Amino acid sequence: MLLATAVGVAVTGRLGAWQLSRAAQKEALQTSLDTQGALPPLPAAALARDAETAVGQWHRHIALSGRWLPQHSVFLDNRQMNGRPGFFLLTPLELAPGDAVLVQRGWAPRDLRDRALLPEVPTAGGRVELVGQVAPAPSRLYAFAEEESGRLRQNIDIEAYARETGVGLRPLSIVQTEGSAPDDGLLRQWPRPAVDVHKHYGYAFQWFALATLLSGLYVWFQLLQPWLRRQRAPR
């Protein structure tokens, strides 16, 4: 009983600590986003070409001009916006021959009758201009397959996708912001990282409360009750 209680307390305590760490990560990310977003827009010519420089540019505003490569568009599945299931559309923007950046263009809803049916999103031809924020690749979701291909995927690795398509992609992405392109039917109401941080604190409280409950039950049934019975026993 002592071993089972110790294991239960250790597991629930660890889960509570993990939820607190997730909350701290999201709050730190939000702080970085607010701080970097308050800086002047990053000149297009200064956009990072290596991963180390890219980290220092995350969340900076930037205006870019280029040509869409719609043949290499990818839809990321199981992405939500405003609580609705759908897809993130990612398309490379060619800045110059052999030089492109992956753009998170926006969100499109899923067809509830056929989850594999991809929406038709108009893509402007010729040279276009857009405004956005420098960002890492979209967050990874759990996937059963390590390697994915095709237009519909769960996750995307920018370096691997550059090798797959032969497109020279920068080691970052651009999150396109609202009002920076003609109407293409996509939503760009990107959620703030810390918007659901209270959820993690709530989960942490539940796990710590469960750990406390397990400890209390062990003390009561295994220590206090036997002691009280011994005290009440006739001598």
Side-chain angles (χ1 to χ4, degrees):
M1 186 62 69
L2 176 60
L3 179 61
T5 302
V7 171
V9 170
V11 171
T12 52
R14 182 68 186 87
L15 289 170
W18 178 74
Q19 289 291 343
L20 289 180
S21 70
R22 288 287 295 139
Q25 290 171 9
K26 288 191 174 182
E27 288 178 333
L29 179 58
Q30 186 63 62
T31 299
S32 173
L33 192 152
D34 293 340
T35 302
Q36 292 285 83
L39 297 175
L42 184 72
L47 186 63
R49 295 179 179 272
D50 62 88
E52 184 176 354
T53 305
V55 173
Q57 295 181 352
W58 287 354
H59 315 308
R60 290 284 300 273
H61 293 285
I62 191 169
L64 294 174
S65 174
R67 183 175 64 89
W68 292 119
L69 301 178
Q71 68 274 24
H72 297 304
S73 288
V74 170
F75 289 87
L76 295 189
D77 200 2
N78 296 313
R79 307 290 169 150
Q80 291 193 4
M81 188 165 288
N82 298 329
R84 299 170 58 196
F87 311 95
F88 283 174
L89 174 58
L90 279 63
T91 304
L93 181 73
E94 186 180 55
L95 307 174
D99 181 21
V101 62
L102 194 62
V103 178
Q104 301 183 46
R105 295 175 56 187
W107 177 90
R110 168 183 290 149
D111 188 318
L112 299 179
R113 296 166 298 179
D114 183 358
R115 61 180 295 121
L117 183 63
L118 299 178
E120 293 293 333
V121 179
T123 301
R127 201 156 188 86
V128 297
E129 296 183 355
L130 64 86
V131 176
Q133 285 185 306
V134 182
S139 58
R140 292 187 61 83
L141 302 181
Y142 179 79
F144 291 101
E146 288 296 326
E147 297 293 335
E148 296 183 277
S149 59
R151 298 187 70 203
L152 179 60
R153 309 183 183 208
Q154 187 85 337
N155 299 294
I156 190 168
D157 179 277
I158 295 178
E159 184 178 354
Y161 192 62
R163 292 194 301 268
E164 176 187 338
T165 59
V167 177
L169 292 174
R170 305 281 182 103
L172 47 82
S173 71
I174 302 296
V175 176
Q176 188 174 344
T177 54
E178 193 72 53
S180 57
D183 183 22
D184 50 17
L186 297 172
L187 292 183
R188 300 185 181 90
Q189 299 165 1
W190 305 103
R192 295 171 63 84
V195 69
D196 62 347
V197 70
H198 62 280
K199 174 185 68 177
H200 296 288
Y201 285 121
Y203 289 155
F205 174 80
Q206 293 175 9
W207 286 119
F208 288 137
L210 184 55
T212 302
L213 177 62
L214 290 173
S215 301
L217 290 174
Y218 177 83
V219 170
W220 174 251
F221 287 107
Q222 299 298 314
L223 300 178
L224 288 181
Q225 278 199 345
W227 180 80
L228 290 174
R229 282 196 296 267
R230 288 194 300 269
Q231 293 300 311
R232 294 169 183 167
R235 298 182 181 180

